[in-house]
Amino acid sequence: RENFIHLHNPHLEKMKEDILYHFALGTGTHDFPALFGDVKFVCVGGSPSRMKAFIAYIAEELGLGGPGCDYPNICVGTDRYAMYKVGPVLSVSHGMGIPSISIMLHELIKLLHHAKCSNITIIRIGTSGGIGLEPGSVVITRQSVDATFKPQFEQVILGKTVIRSTNLDEELAKELMQCSQEMSQFNTVIGNTMCTLDFYEGQGRLDGAICLYSEEEKLQYLKEAYDSGIRNIEMESSVFAAMCSLSGVKAAVVCVTLLNRLEGDQISSSHDVLVEYQQRPQKLVGYFIKKSLGKV
């Protein structure tokens, strides 16, 4: 059965052309079905360079490219986001934080709709701060929760507070966990992910420019988070889960932990170690895509 993207916006039908401004793409200037109609997997992450590295990695894994191959940025007309494609895989950067990924997702979901894509899986791959986990552990998100540990995304629309669910696809999370067990390369857990509005005070760090709470208060908060099932903290998963769910898209969040927040706040591992950590979500999702395509 084909599952197409659901657009919850009747106004779009009245538009002669849809300009995806932050992608520098538009239905009047680009043939979306020809460019993107075969896409089945979309991987999104914060950094343009990381998403370019991912597309090069997955191209080699799928036998669609090799060392030295160039993968042009489809969004070359803008410096907001970067987009790369190889075969059925689209790789898109989303910047940092809820506002940035929200803008990207609005345009990405419309792009997939205009391209008449079906049976899409979208996975966010990224980095995070762990709670009670060894650095380098990978967390597959069960639910995204806010800073009060509630599984919801709250947004003010036309002056009114709108609350949306942040549930992610449970079966997809289990499939990814099974893939990690088959790979047996690094520690992977399924747990809740706390999505915050900033990197410092919102995550209880002690090393920001402003900090008006004690170390004891910070540790108590993080331990309460751990006890509630939270295993990592990042800044995009809530709106990602909410928008994918509303659009009828299977979605998952796979993030590596760069440190254990119960032991400190600053990321002090060497550059080489951090690079290897950041490759772990790519390897897991790459294995999942290969398995889904019958290439494992």
Side-chain angles (χ1 to χ4, degrees):
R1 196 182 75 182
E2 287 194 304
N3 292 319
F4 292 94
I5 305 291
H6 304 303
L7 289 187
H8 292 270
N9 185 356
H11 306 289
L12 291 174
E13 297 176 7
K14 304 171 187 175
M15 294 166 47
K16 293 181 181 179
E17 179 183 6
D18 190 4
I19 298 171
L20 308 185
Y21 172 72
H22 302 89
F23 283 167
L25 300 171
T27 55
T29 53
H30 297 80
D31 186 340
F32 281 42
L35 287 169
F36 306 106
D38 61 339
V39 169
K40 295 297 179 187
F41 305 94
V42 183
C43 295
V44 303
S47 158
S49 61
R50 194 184 306 155
M51 300 323 292
K52 185 170 187 178
F54 175 74
I55 208 68
Y57 172 76
I58 199 66
E60 196 162 353
E61 288 292 296
L62 297 179
L64 299 173
C69 287
D70 186 38
Y71 303 95
N73 179 10
I74 297 170
C75 297
V76 69
T78 177
D79 60 0
R80 294 294 182 186
Y81 303 106
M83 180 185 296
Y84 306 94
K85 181 183 181 299
V86 63
V89 182
L90 195 64
S91 177
V92 192
S93 70
H94 59 59
M96 189 181 293
I98 287 172
S100 185
I101 192 173
S102 170
I103 294 166
M104 188 282 291
L105 284 171
H106 274 283
E107 299 189 12
L108 173 64
I109 289 166
K110 291 197 296 177
L111 179 153
L112 297 170
H113 171 76
H114 293 316
K116 298 179 171 58
C117 294
S118 64
N119 302 329
I120 293 289
T121 298
I122 302 182
I123 303 177
R124 167 169 142 67
I125 53 177
T127 58
S128 64
I131 303 180
L133 295 175
E134 284 296 311
S137 299
V138 171
V139 179
I140 301 166
T141 304
R142 176 184 290 111
Q143 272 187 326
S144 175
V145 302
D146 64 17
T148 64
F149 313 159
K150 294 176 183 174
Q152 63 184 36
F153 171 63
E154 185 176 303
Q155 184 174 9
V156 176
I157 302 172
L158 301 182
K160 298 177 182 177
T161 299
V162 175
I163 294 175
R164 291 173 175 162
S165 166
T166 54
N167 287 335
L168 290 154
D169 192 282
E170 189 176 342
E171 288 304 312
L172 178 55
K174 289 178 181 177
E175 288 177 42
L176 287 161
M177 188 66 190
Q178 177 63 32
C179 286
S180 183
Q181 290 170 351
E182 292 172 14
M183 294 169 64
S184 191
Q185 294 183 18
F186 38 78
N187 179 48
T188 304
V189 301
I190 294 179
N192 290 347
T193 295
M194 181 161 67
C195 183
T196 65
L197 298 179
D198 83 311
F199 186 81
Y200 286 98
E201 290 179 283
Q203 296 188 13
R205 277 184 160 83
L206 302 174
D207 59 343
I210 299 169
C211 179
L212 304 177
Y213 43 83
S214 69
E215 183 173 6
E216 291 74 20
E217 289 172 318
K218 165 214 161 173
L219 286 173
Q220 181 182 352
Y221 176 70
L222 292 181
K223 287 173 181 175
E224 288 173 0
Y226 182 88
D227 290 341
S228 77
I230 295 168
R231 293 296 175 268
N232 64 335
I233 312 173
E234 46 85 273
M235 297 187 291
E236 292 87 19
S237 60
S238 61
V239 71
F240 174 82
M243 292 183 68
C244 288
S245 177
L246 269 175
S247 303
V249 180
K250 253 193 346 181
V253 177
V254 180
C255 289
V256 69
T257 61
L258 301 184
L259 75 167
N260 179 0
R261 289 294 317 287
L262 294 176
E263 297 179 355
D265 295 329
Q266 297 214 322
I267 300 167
S268 56
S269 297
S270 71
H271 173 75
D272 291 344
V273 168
L274 292 176
V275 168
E276 195 278 320
Y277 284 171
Q278 290 173 23
Q279 290 171 348
R280 293 182 179 187
Q282 297 184 20
K283 289 178 180 178
L284 174 52
V285 173
Y287 184 92
F288 165 78
I289 291 173
K290 284 175 66 179
K291 186 177 179 182
S292 300
L293 296 173
K295 294 181 178 289
V296 171

